[in-house]
Amino acid sequence: MTHLVIAPIIIPLFAGALMMLLGERRRVLQTALGLAATAALVVVAAMLLLRADGASAAEVQLYRLGNWPSSFGIVLVLDRLSALMLVLASVLGLAAHVFALARWDRAGAHFHPLFQFQLMGLNGAFLTGDLFNLFVFFEVMLAASYGLALHGSGTARVRAGLHYIAINLAASLVFLVGVSVIYGVAGTLNMADLAARMHDIAAEDRALLETGCAILGVAFLIKAAMWPVGFWLPGTYGAASAPAAAILSLLSKVGIYAVLRLWLLLFGDEAGASSGFGGTWLMLGGLATIAFGSLAVLATQNMARLAGACVIVSSGTLLAALGAGQVAVTGGALFYMTSSVLAIAALFLLIELIERGREVGADVLAVTREAFGEGAEEEYLDDDEEIGVAIPAIMALLGLGFMACALLLAGLPPLSGFLAKFAILAPLIGTGADGLPATTWAVLAALILSGLACLIAMTRVGMDAFWAAPGPPPRVAMAEILPVAGLLALCLGLTLMAGPVMRYMHDTAAGLHAPAGYVGGVMRP
């Protein structure tokens, strides 16, 4: 069972490499191998989650490659947070992969290996214990995401994909600069070793180290789509194919994961003079991101761009919650992240089905269509190709799914989106016995108003899609309905099992805010 920790990296690595050897002519074998590998990832991630949950709050499970000491070798670290992220990545990967089998895997070359390498990069980023290999897995993840973002061609997709590539290449350069500065000052890139040295950094070097961490944080926040560096996200995700957008929606949470991991590890209460460094900026940046995302939600009349704007709102909510620096609020933020990731992925997949058979931008005014560049949109697949079967009352099923996504993203009761926002706000309000601070009022207003904006926008586009100009009922394959239903069922499960889930999230947050257990577990002989 010791080697199970590395399995989430090894499985997609070997699957993707074997697919490249098989070639594009053996699509049936590629499909079978991809399904088997992705399903295996779900099983492995669930087993690792159970192992992490069975350990104490501060315990971590360490995997040393080559059995080198942690200070010198490559280490993989499993704790509650990394196990949670592995489960999210594997579940979204399986849902998107199954959905793509209806037609999108045939829209371009090398879809299946790119998808496996994408999962490998995600899983490696969640498990690695040092900054250099975090950069390596970031690049693997990004390289695969470039191919997925461009998959299916088309003018709008290529335009948005090239912007996405340019921005992320710049972010990678910023990442390297930050890592170089940190290594030059601290002499290590192992995250636990770096945390252990933070308290003893010389006063004359501390400012330079904090500068390096801030530069590194900029790279993470670009990936997390924080304002003002998140302008690229709605256009890129809106132009991507539905299964690609569903898995890409998790990439913004990789930036959130990195910020959460490193900020609490390096700048916690044991960091000496650097304790709490950057927390205020996280809070303010999160609030600004919520405001920007809410305006984008209200401004767009395109469903896919609306889903991309919802990703920005969710990132802003997480950053604002993390900036509060409270264990209970961080636990609520983790619950919110899980719910929002599943709901947004389901929304991206639903949009593909809802808009099938409708003219692109049919519900958009001509001037708005021109402003968004949709007039040059091309059909990526043959519209005359019959996909799936005509299911009776299919629009009713799609409408129910869309309504569930709206409730989840707006944070309305009784679903998990409401419970998650309540879990974030309750600790903030409960600490204000002598009056609430201005930051708490700001977070309260931001979460309520962003939910209202999401509700208004989704109601508007839903009415246009289902009532004003519904068009002919789409032909839908079971491979497309089942992933959407599965993701929404998981959101329902979060609602029904909110108690145990919140207990897990609170234990995860407690371990993150007390990083001594993580440091001791990684640095043990």
Side-chain angles (χ1 to χ4, degrees), residues 86-119:
L86 288 176
V87 169
L88 282 177
S90 61
V91 168
L92 258 63
L94 181 60
H97 190 276
V98 171
F99 188 95
L101 297 182
R103 63 170 183 167
W104 279 111
D105 65 326
R106 305 185 299 276
H110 306 302
F111 175 84
H112 293 288
L114 282 172
F115 199 86
Q116 294 300 316
F117 292 139
Q118 175 76 86
L119 293 176

Side-chain angles (χ1 to χ4, degrees), residues 486-510:
L487 292 174
L488 294 178
L490 287 175
C491 293
L492 180 61
L494 290 177
T495 306
L496 298 177
M497 301 295 292
V501 173
M502 271 307 304
R503 190 269 308 163
Y504 181 91
M505 301 303 182
H506 185 273
D507 290 346
T508 303

Side-chain angles (χ1 to χ4, degrees), residues 69 94 112 114 159 171 173 175 216 218 236 259 262 308 354 361 367 371 393 426 431 439 441 462 472 484 507 509:
L94 181 60
H112 293 288
L114 282 172
R159 184 190 303 119
L173 176 60
F175 195 130
L216 189 63
V218 169
T236 300
V259 170
L262 289 173
I354 294 170
V367 62
T431 57
T439 53
W441 282 112
V484 176
D507 290 346

Side-chain angles (χ1 to χ4, degrees), residues 5 75 89 151 156 201 237 273 315 320 335 350 362 374 381 418 431 462 513:
V5 175
V75 294
H151 183 76
I201 295 293
Y237 288 13
S315 291
F335 189 97
L350 266 175
E374 293 178 314
L381 295 171
F418 168 77
T431 57
H513 282 266

Side-chain angles (χ1 to χ4, degrees), residues 131 134-136 138-139 141-142 146 164 166-180 182 210-230 232-233 237 251-260 262 282 315 319:
L131 292 177
L134 180 62
F135 173 78
V136 171
F138 253 73
E139 291 308 298
M141 175 186 70
L142 289 173
Y146 299 153
Y164 173 69
I167 291 166
N168 280 281
L169 288 176
S172 297
L173 176 60
V174 173
F175 195 130
L176 277 180
V177 171
V179 166
S180 301
I182 292 173
E210 291 176 350
T211 301
C213 291
I215 294 173
L216 189 63
V218 169
F220 296 147
L221 293 173
I222 290 175
K223 190 72 256 172
M226 189 183 86
W227 184 85
V229 291
W232 55 270
L233 192 147
Y237 288 13
L251 266 65
S252 63
K253 302 307 178 283
V254 179
I256 299 291
Y257 166 85
V259 170
L260 175 61
L262 289 173
L282 283 180
S315 291
L319 290 172

